[in-house]
Amino acid sequence: MYRLAAREWIILRRYNNLAIITTTSERYSTCFGFTEDEVFQTLDQYSLSDSKTSVKEWYDGFNFGSSKGIYNPWSIISFLKEKKFKAYWANTSENSLVSRLIRQGSPQIKMTMEDLLAGKSFTEEIVFSQLNRKKGAIWSLLLASGYLKVVSDEFNGERYIYQMELTNKEVRIMFQDMIQDWFAEEEIPYNDFVKALLRGDIDYMNEYMNLIAELTFSAFDTGKKASGRSYPERFYHGFVLGLIVELTGEYRVTLNRESGFGRYDVMLEPLKAGKPAFVLEFKVRRTAESSLEETVRHALKQIEEKRYDAELMARGIAKEQIRYFGFAFDGKKVLIGEGTM
Protein backbone atom coordinates (compact mmCIF):
# COMPACT_ATOMS: atom_id res chain seq x y z
CA MET A 1 0.00 0.00 0.00
CA TYR A 2 1.18 3.55 -0.67
CA ARG A 3 0.78 6.58 1.53
CA LEU A 4 -2.10 8.85 0.52
CA ALA A 5 -1.15 12.25 -0.84
CA ALA A 6 -0.99 14.68 2.06
CA ARG A 7 -3.40 17.64 2.12
CA GLU A 8 -3.14 20.45 4.62
CA TRP A 9 -6.56 19.60 6.05
CA ILE A 10 -5.85 15.89 6.62
CA ILE A 11 -2.26 16.01 7.88
CA LEU A 12 -3.25 14.82 11.35
CA ARG A 13 -5.92 12.38 10.22
CA ARG A 14 -5.31 8.66 10.69
CA TYR A 15 -5.74 7.94 6.93
CA ASN A 16 -2.50 9.74 6.22
CA ASN A 17 -0.49 7.43 8.45
CA LEU A 18 -0.98 4.09 6.78
CA ALA A 19 1.83 1.54 6.95
CA ILE A 20 3.64 1.29 3.62
CA ILE A 21 3.90 -2.33 2.46
CA THR A 22 5.97 -2.85 -0.69
CA THR A 23 7.46 -5.80 -2.56
CA THR A 24 10.59 -5.50 -0.40
CA SER A 25 8.67 -5.63 2.90
CA GLU A 26 8.62 -8.75 5.08
CA ARG A 27 5.12 -8.15 6.41
CA TYR A 28 2.44 -10.08 4.50
CA SER A 29 5.16 -11.37 2.15
CA THR A 30 3.35 -14.68 1.53
CA CYS A 31 -0.06 -13.08 0.96
CA PHE A 32 0.38 -11.55 -2.49
CA GLY A 33 0.29 -14.70 -4.62
CA PHE A 34 0.39 -18.48 -4.71
CA THR A 35 3.34 -20.33 -3.22
CA GLU A 36 5.10 -23.01 -5.24
CA ASP A 37 3.69 -25.78 -3.06
CA GLU A 38 0.17 -24.48 -3.69
CA VAL A 39 0.75 -24.25 -7.44
CA PHE A 40 2.32 -27.71 -7.76
CA GLN A 41 -0.43 -29.35 -5.68
CA THR A 42 -3.04 -27.72 -7.90
CA LEU A 43 -1.25 -28.87 -11.07
CA ASP A 44 -1.32 -32.43 -9.71
CA GLN A 45 -5.05 -32.12 -9.08
CA TYR A 46 -5.60 -30.90 -12.66
CA SER A 47 -3.46 -33.76 -14.09
CA LEU A 48 -0.88 -31.21 -15.24
CA SER A 49 2.10 -32.52 -13.28
CA ASP A 50 4.24 -32.66 -16.43
CA SER A 51 3.84 -28.89 -16.81
CA LYS A 52 5.53 -27.93 -13.54
CA THR A 53 8.89 -26.97 -15.06
CA SER A 54 7.32 -24.80 -17.76
CA VAL A 55 4.83 -23.23 -15.36
CA LYS A 56 7.74 -22.26 -13.10
CA GLU A 57 9.63 -20.71 -16.03
CA TRP A 58 6.62 -18.73 -17.20
CA TYR A 59 4.84 -17.63 -14.02
CA ASP A 60 7.21 -17.99 -11.05
CA GLY A 61 9.72 -15.41 -9.86
CA PHE A 62 7.77 -12.90 -7.76
CA ASN A 63 9.68 -12.08 -4.59
CA PHE A 64 8.12 -10.34 -1.59
CA GLY A 65 10.58 -9.60 1.19
CA SER A 66 12.48 -12.83 1.84
CA SER A 67 9.65 -14.96 0.39
CA LYS A 68 10.80 -16.32 -2.97
CA GLY A 69 8.97 -18.27 -5.63
CA ILE A 70 5.60 -16.53 -5.48
CA TYR A 71 3.36 -17.10 -8.51
CA ASN A 72 1.01 -14.64 -10.21
CA PRO A 73 -2.52 -15.80 -9.25
CA TRP A 74 -4.23 -14.43 -12.36
CA SER A 75 -1.78 -16.19 -14.68
CA ILE A 76 -2.02 -19.50 -12.83
CA ILE A 77 -5.84 -19.43 -12.81
CA SER A 78 -5.86 -18.52 -16.52
CA PHE A 79 -3.42 -21.32 -17.35
CA LEU A 80 -5.49 -23.88 -15.46
CA LYS A 81 -8.51 -22.75 -17.47
CA GLU A 82 -6.92 -22.60 -20.94
CA LYS A 83 -3.99 -25.01 -20.48
CA LYS A 84 -1.87 -22.88 -22.81
CA PHE A 85 1.40 -21.11 -22.09
CA LYS A 86 1.10 -17.44 -22.94
CA ALA A 87 1.28 -13.99 -21.38
CA TYR A 88 -2.04 -13.61 -19.55
CA TRP A 89 -0.91 -10.61 -17.52
CA ALA A 90 -1.20 -8.02 -20.28
CA ASN A 91 -3.41 -5.36 -21.85
CA THR A 92 -3.87 -3.40 -18.64
CA SER A 93 -3.81 0.37 -18.21
CA GLU A 94 -0.70 -0.06 -16.08
CA ASN A 95 1.09 -1.72 -19.01
CA SER A 96 0.19 1.28 -21.17
CA LEU A 97 1.77 3.59 -18.62
CA VAL A 98 4.93 1.49 -18.46
CA SER A 99 5.15 1.41 -22.26
CA ARG A 100 4.94 5.20 -22.46
CA LEU A 101 7.51 5.73 -19.71
CA ILE A 102 10.04 3.45 -21.41
CA ARG A 103 9.34 4.72 -24.92
CA GLN A 104 9.76 8.33 -23.86
CA GLY A 105 12.50 7.57 -21.35
CA SER A 106 16.16 8.49 -21.57
CA PRO A 107 18.71 6.49 -23.59
CA GLN A 108 19.98 5.05 -20.28
CA ILE A 109 16.53 3.64 -19.49
CA LYS A 110 16.37 1.99 -22.90
CA MET A 111 19.89 0.58 -22.51
CA THR A 112 18.87 -0.99 -19.21
CA MET A 113 15.84 -2.49 -20.96
CA GLU A 114 18.18 -3.94 -23.59
CA ASP A 115 20.12 -5.68 -20.83
CA LEU A 116 16.96 -6.94 -19.15
CA LEU A 117 15.63 -8.43 -22.41
CA ALA A 118 19.01 -10.15 -22.84
CA GLY A 119 18.52 -11.86 -19.46
CA LYS A 120 20.91 -9.61 -17.53
CA SER A 121 20.37 -7.86 -14.21
CA PHE A 122 21.16 -4.33 -13.04
CA THR A 123 21.53 -2.48 -9.75
CA GLU A 124 19.53 0.53 -8.62
CA GLU A 125 18.57 2.39 -5.46
CA ILE A 126 14.84 2.01 -4.85
CA VAL A 127 12.86 4.70 -3.03
CA PHE A 128 9.14 3.95 -3.25
CA SER A 129 8.16 7.28 -1.69
CA GLN A 130 9.74 9.15 -4.62
CA LEU A 131 7.96 7.48 -7.51
CA ASN A 132 6.84 10.82 -8.92
CA ARG A 133 10.03 12.77 -8.31
CA LYS A 134 13.20 10.74 -8.45
CA LYS A 135 15.05 10.47 -11.74
CA GLY A 136 14.93 6.86 -12.89
CA ALA A 137 12.02 6.10 -10.55
CA ILE A 138 10.56 3.95 -13.31
CA TRP A 139 12.54 1.03 -11.83
CA SER A 140 10.85 1.59 -8.47
CA LEU A 141 7.50 1.52 -10.29
CA LEU A 142 8.38 -1.67 -12.18
CA LEU A 143 9.54 -3.38 -8.99
CA ALA A 144 6.44 -2.28 -7.08
CA SER A 145 4.24 -3.53 -9.94
CA GLY A 146 5.88 -6.95 -10.18
CA TYR A 147 7.65 -6.53 -13.54
CA LEU A 148 11.04 -6.76 -11.81
CA LYS A 149 12.22 -9.00 -9.00
CA VAL A 150 15.03 -8.49 -6.48
CA VAL A 151 17.92 -10.90 -6.93
CA SER A 152 20.00 -9.51 -4.08
CA ASP A 153 20.30 -6.37 -1.96
CA GLU A 154 23.10 -4.54 -0.17
CA PHE A 155 22.95 -1.78 2.44
CA ASN A 156 25.41 1.02 1.63
CA GLY A 157 25.20 2.66 5.02
CA GLU A 158 22.30 4.89 4.06
CA ARG A 159 20.03 3.05 1.65
CA TYR A 160 19.53 -0.38 0.14
CA ILE A 161 20.86 -0.99 -3.36
CA TYR A 162 18.97 -3.73 -5.20
CA GLN A 163 20.09 -6.04 -7.99
CA MET A 164 17.07 -6.71 -10.19
CA GLU A 165 16.01 -8.64 -13.28
CA LEU A 166 12.80 -9.37 -15.18
CA THR A 167 10.46 -11.49 -13.10
CA ASN A 168 9.83 -14.38 -15.49
CA LYS A 169 9.21 -15.43 -19.09
CA GLU A 170 5.67 -14.05 -19.10
CA VAL A 171 6.96 -10.58 -18.21
CA ARG A 172 9.73 -10.79 -20.82
CA ILE A 173 7.23 -11.66 -23.56
CA MET A 174 4.94 -8.88 -22.36
CA PHE A 175 7.79 -6.38 -22.82
CA GLN A 176 8.65 -7.82 -26.23
CA ASP A 177 5.04 -7.40 -27.36
CA MET A 178 4.97 -3.91 -25.90
CA ILE A 179 8.07 -2.86 -27.88
CA GLN A 180 6.71 -4.39 -31.08
CA ASP A 181 3.59 -2.29 -30.61
CA TRP A 182 5.74 0.86 -30.83
CA PHE A 183 6.23 0.12 -34.53
CA ALA A 184 3.04 -1.85 -35.20
CA GLU A 185 1.03 0.80 -37.05
CA GLU A 186 0.25 -0.30 -40.58
CA GLU A 187 1.96 2.70 -42.20
CA ILE A 188 5.24 2.17 -40.27
CA PRO A 189 7.50 -0.03 -42.47
CA TYR A 190 9.50 -1.52 -39.60
CA ASN A 191 9.36 -5.11 -40.83
CA ASP A 192 10.22 -3.89 -44.33
CA PHE A 193 13.32 -2.22 -42.93
CA VAL A 194 14.41 -5.42 -41.17
CA LYS A 195 13.99 -7.39 -44.41
CA ALA A 196 15.98 -4.76 -46.34
CA LEU A 197 18.71 -4.90 -43.69
CA LEU A 198 18.99 -8.68 -43.89
CA ARG A 199 19.20 -8.41 -47.70
CA GLY A 200 21.73 -5.58 -47.45
CA ASP A 201 19.57 -3.34 -49.64
CA ILE A 202 21.00 0.05 -48.73
CA ASP A 203 18.54 2.08 -50.85
CA TYR A 204 15.45 0.59 -49.24
CA MET A 205 17.12 0.75 -45.81
CA ASN A 206 17.48 4.51 -46.21
CA GLU A 207 13.97 4.94 -47.54
CA TYR A 208 12.34 2.88 -44.80
CA MET A 209 14.50 4.23 -41.98
CA ASN A 210 13.66 7.84 -42.78
CA LEU A 211 9.98 7.00 -43.01
CA ILE A 212 10.11 5.18 -39.65
CA ALA A 213 11.86 8.17 -38.08
CA GLU A 214 9.33 10.58 -39.56
CA LEU A 215 6.35 8.57 -38.29
CA THR A 216 7.60 7.55 -34.84
CA PHE A 217 10.18 10.15 -33.80
CA SER A 218 7.74 12.23 -31.76
CA ALA A 219 6.53 9.12 -29.90
CA PHE A 220 9.96 8.87 -28.26
CA ASP A 221 9.88 12.53 -27.23
CA THR A 222 8.86 13.34 -23.67
CA GLY A 223 7.22 16.56 -24.78
CA LYS A 224 9.60 18.42 -22.48
CA LYS A 225 12.41 20.64 -23.60
CA ALA A 226 15.54 18.58 -24.18
CA SER A 227 18.82 19.03 -25.94
CA GLY A 228 18.75 18.52 -29.68
CA ARG A 229 21.24 15.70 -29.47
CA SER A 230 19.18 13.70 -27.01
CA TYR A 231 16.27 13.48 -29.46
CA PRO A 232 17.82 11.04 -31.94
CA GLU A 233 19.32 9.02 -29.10
CA ARG A 234 15.87 8.51 -27.61
CA PHE A 235 14.67 7.34 -31.01
CA TYR A 236 17.47 5.04 -32.07
CA HIS A 237 17.72 3.32 -28.69
CA GLY A 238 14.02 2.54 -29.06
CA PHE A 239 14.71 1.40 -32.61
CA VAL A 240 17.42 -1.00 -31.38
CA LEU A 241 15.03 -2.41 -28.76
CA GLY A 242 12.74 -3.19 -31.68
CA LEU A 243 15.60 -4.96 -33.48
CA ILE A 244 16.33 -7.07 -30.41
CA VAL A 245 12.72 -8.21 -30.26
CA GLU A 246 12.24 -8.63 -34.01
CA LEU A 247 15.37 -10.77 -34.47
CA THR A 248 14.88 -12.98 -31.42
CA GLY A 249 15.57 -16.57 -32.40
CA GLU A 250 17.46 -15.58 -35.56
CA TYR A 251 20.31 -13.39 -34.31
CA ARG A 252 22.27 -12.85 -31.14
CA VAL A 253 22.35 -9.11 -30.55
CA THR A 254 25.43 -7.67 -28.82
CA LEU A 255 25.56 -4.02 -27.82
CA ASN A 256 28.55 -1.76 -27.21
CA ARG A 257 27.82 1.71 -25.92
CA GLU A 258 29.75 4.92 -25.52
CA SER A 259 27.03 6.84 -23.77
CA GLY A 260 27.36 10.60 -23.88
CA PHE A 261 29.42 10.58 -27.06
CA GLY A 262 26.52 10.06 -29.45
CA ARG A 263 27.92 6.70 -30.55
CA TYR A 264 26.45 3.25 -30.24
CA ASP A 265 27.16 0.04 -32.07
CA VAL A 266 25.24 -3.19 -32.49
CA MET A 267 26.51 -6.59 -33.61
CA LEU A 268 24.08 -9.09 -35.09
CA GLU A 269 25.44 -12.64 -35.00
CA PRO A 270 23.39 -15.25 -36.89
CA LEU A 271 22.29 -18.27 -34.88
CA LYS A 272 22.33 -20.42 -38.03
CA ALA A 273 25.36 -20.92 -40.25
CA GLY A 274 25.25 -19.37 -43.71
CA LYS A 275 23.44 -16.17 -42.77
CA PRO A 276 25.31 -12.85 -42.85
CA ALA A 277 26.44 -11.05 -39.70
CA PHE A 278 26.12 -7.29 -39.24
CA VAL A 279 27.91 -4.49 -37.45
CA LEU A 280 25.82 -1.32 -37.10
CA GLU A 281 27.26 1.96 -35.84
CA PHE A 282 24.82 4.69 -34.75
CA LYS A 283 26.20 8.20 -34.59
CA VAL A 284 24.68 11.63 -34.03
CA ARG A 285 26.05 14.37 -36.29
CA ARG A 286 28.27 16.81 -34.45
CA THR A 287 28.46 20.50 -35.26
CA ALA A 288 32.01 20.02 -36.57
CA GLU A 289 30.73 17.59 -39.20
CA SER A 290 29.56 19.37 -42.33
CA SER A 291 27.02 16.76 -43.46
CA LEU A 292 25.40 13.44 -42.69
CA GLU A 293 27.71 11.89 -45.30
CA GLU A 294 30.70 12.92 -43.19
CA THR A 295 29.04 11.49 -40.08
CA VAL A 296 28.50 8.18 -41.90
CA ARG A 297 32.20 8.12 -42.88
CA HIS A 298 33.18 8.69 -39.25
CA ALA A 299 30.81 5.93 -38.12
CA LEU A 300 32.32 3.44 -40.55
CA LYS A 301 35.82 4.55 -39.55
CA GLN A 302 34.86 3.92 -35.93
CA ILE A 303 33.88 0.34 -36.82
CA GLU A 304 37.23 -0.21 -38.51
CA GLU A 305 39.35 1.37 -35.80
CA LYS A 306 37.59 -0.37 -32.93
CA ARG A 307 37.66 -3.71 -34.77
CA TYR A 308 34.13 -4.52 -33.71
CA ASP A 309 34.11 -7.49 -36.09
CA ALA A 310 36.96 -9.26 -34.26
CA GLU A 311 34.51 -10.90 -31.87
CA LEU A 312 32.39 -12.19 -34.74
CA MET A 313 35.42 -13.63 -36.54
CA ALA A 314 36.62 -15.22 -33.30
CA ARG A 315 33.33 -17.12 -33.28
CA GLY A 316 34.02 -18.55 -36.71
CA ILE A 317 32.24 -16.08 -38.97
CA ALA A 318 34.22 -15.31 -42.12
CA LYS A 319 34.99 -11.64 -42.75
CA GLU A 320 33.25 -11.75 -46.13
CA GLN A 321 30.07 -12.81 -44.31
CA ILE A 322 30.04 -9.61 -42.25
CA ARG A 323 28.32 -6.44 -43.46
CA TYR A 324 29.05 -3.00 -42.04
CA PHE A 325 26.58 -0.11 -41.86
CA GLY A 326 26.95 3.38 -40.44
CA PHE A 327 23.79 5.20 -39.32
CA ALA A 328 24.03 9.00 -39.11
CA PHE A 329 21.35 11.04 -37.33
CA ASP A 330 20.56 14.72 -37.42
CA GLY A 331 17.19 15.23 -35.76
CA LYS A 332 14.67 13.20 -37.73
CA LYS A 333 17.00 12.89 -40.72
CA VAL A 334 18.85 9.62 -41.12
CA LEU A 335 21.51 8.51 -43.60
CA ILE A 336 22.80 4.94 -43.79
CA GLY A 337 26.02 4.02 -45.56
CA GLU A 338 27.75 0.68 -46.10
CA GLY A 339 31.47 0.12 -45.71
CA THR A 340 34.04 -2.54 -46.54
CA MET A 341 36.72 -3.40 -44.03
Side-chain angles (χ1 to χ4, degrees):
M1 300 181 70
Y2 294 101
R3 190 183 302 276
L4 296 174
R7 305 283 184 188
E8 290 183 7
W9 50 276
I10 63 169
I11 287 177
L12 298 179
R13 301 238 179 141
R14 64 183 181 274
Y15 296 117
N16 197 43
N17 292 281
L18 298 173
I20 301 175
I21 306 298
T22 72
T23 55
T24 59
S25 303
E26 291 296 332
R27 195 175 182 185
Y28 306 121
S29 61
T30 61
C31 301
F32 293 103
F34 296 151
T35 65
E36 186 160 278
D37 286 344
E38 291 171 336
V39 171
F40 282 7
Q41 288 175 16
T42 304
L43 291 174
D44 290 338
Q45 293 171 5
Y46 277 73
S47 300
L48 293 170
S49 301
D50 293 343
S51 301
K52 289 179 180 178
T53 300
S54 296
V55 167
K56 183 177 179 65
E57 179 187 7
W58 274 82
Y59 307 118
D60 181 22
F62 294 90
N63 299 336
F64 296 92
S66 59
S67 298
K68 311 295 183 183
I70 304 297
Y71 288 69
N72 180 353
W74 172 255
S75 299
I76 293 300
I77 292 171
S78 299
F79 172 76
L80 292 173
K81 180 180 179 180
E82 297 193 23
K83 298 179 176 56
K84 293 180 180 179
F85 289 105
K86 63 181 184 179
Y88 294 104
W89 186 32
N91 299 321
T92 67
S93 58
E94 188 174 77
N95 290 349
S96 299
L97 170 63
V98 168
S99 176
R100 178 174 59 81
L101 291 174
I102 294 174
R103 187 179 68 243
Q104 296 181 353
S106 68
Q108 186 57 51
I109 287 175
K110 294 185 180 69
M111 286 191 286
T112 301
M113 279 305 306
E114 291 162 4
D115 287 339
L116 288 170
L117 289 174
K120 299 177 183 178
S121 61
F122 74 106
T123 57
E124 180 75 18
E125 174 189 323
I126 297 297
V127 184
F128 289 108
S129 62
Q130 298 180 8
L131 284 177
N132 293 324
R133 302 191 300 273
K134 189 175 185 296
K135 183 180 180 181
I138 183 174
W139 309 121
S140 300
L141 173 63
L142 294 184
L143 178 61
S145 304
Y147 299 102
L148 296 175
K149 67 178 178 181
V150 173
V151 179
S152 64
D153 58 71
E154 180 180 351
F155 188 65
N156 66 4
E158 295 182 356
R159 299 184 185 277
Y160 277 96
I161 305 297
Y162 296 94
Q163 182 181 5
M164 295 173 286
E165 63 185 19
L166 292 182
T167 303
N168 52 35
K169 186 173 183 178
E170 180 183 37
V171 171
R172 178 172 287 105
I173 289 176
M174 185 209 73
F175 275 116
Q176 290 174 344
D177 292 344
M178 179 190 75
I179 291 166
Q180 282 183 320
D181 286 344
W182 294 350
F183 304 98
E185 297 295 332
E186 187 174 344
E187 66 271 19
I188 300 174
Y190 192 85
N191 289 333
D192 292 328
F193 172 84
V194 173
K195 292 175 183 177
L197 169 67
L198 298 180
R199 293 196 310 266
D201 191 328
I202 193 72
D203 291 332
Y204 275 114
M205 286 171 64
N206 272 289
E207 179 180 340
Y208 291 140
M209 187 66 174
N210 276 279
L211 185 54
I212 292 169
E214 181 67 29
L215 293 172
T216 66
F217 201 87
S218 60
F220 294 91
D221 180 14
T222 60
K224 300 175 182 178
K225 199 154 185 168
S227 68
R229 196 175 74 176
S230 71
Y231 287 155
E233 288 178 344
R234 288 179 189 273
F235 166 74
Y236 69 64
H237 280 284
F239 178 82
V240 170
L241 275 171
L243 275 183
I244 292 173
V245 172
E246 192 69 30
L247 296 175
T248 296
E250 295 183 57
Y251 281 82
R252 179 182 294 111
V253 182
T254 304
L255 312 166
N256 293 300
R257 305 123 171 188
E258 295 190 46
S259 182
F261 294 96
R263 294 198 301 266
Y264 183 83
D265 68 88
V266 180
M267 286 188 299
L268 305 177
E269 178 187 355
L271 298 180
K272 293 183 180 179
K275 289 187 175 182
F278 299 89
V279 179
L280 315 178
E281 176 78 10
F282 294 79
K283 194 173 186 299
V284 178
R285 186 177 77 83
R286 294 181 175 179
T287 54
E289 294 168 332
S290 60
S291 64
L292 282 173
E293 286 79 5
E294 184 177 359
T295 306
V296 167
R297 289 195 295 272
H298 288 168
L300 294 171
K301 184 178 181 182
Q302 173 84 3
I303 293 175
E304 184 175 13
E305 290 178 347
K306 295 291 186 178
R307 299 189 68 245
Y308 291 139
D309 57 0
E311 185 176 344
L312 292 171
M313 290 188 288
R315 293 178 180 172
I317 298 176
K319 194 173 184 67
E320 55 270 19
Q321 283 291 103
I322 304 174
R323 306 197 70 162
Y324 308 86
F325 294 102
F327 289 65
F329 291 83
D330 186 4
K332 293 183 181 181
K333 297 179 181 178
V334 188
L335 181 65
I336 306 170
E338 184 173 10
T340 56
M341 305 293 159

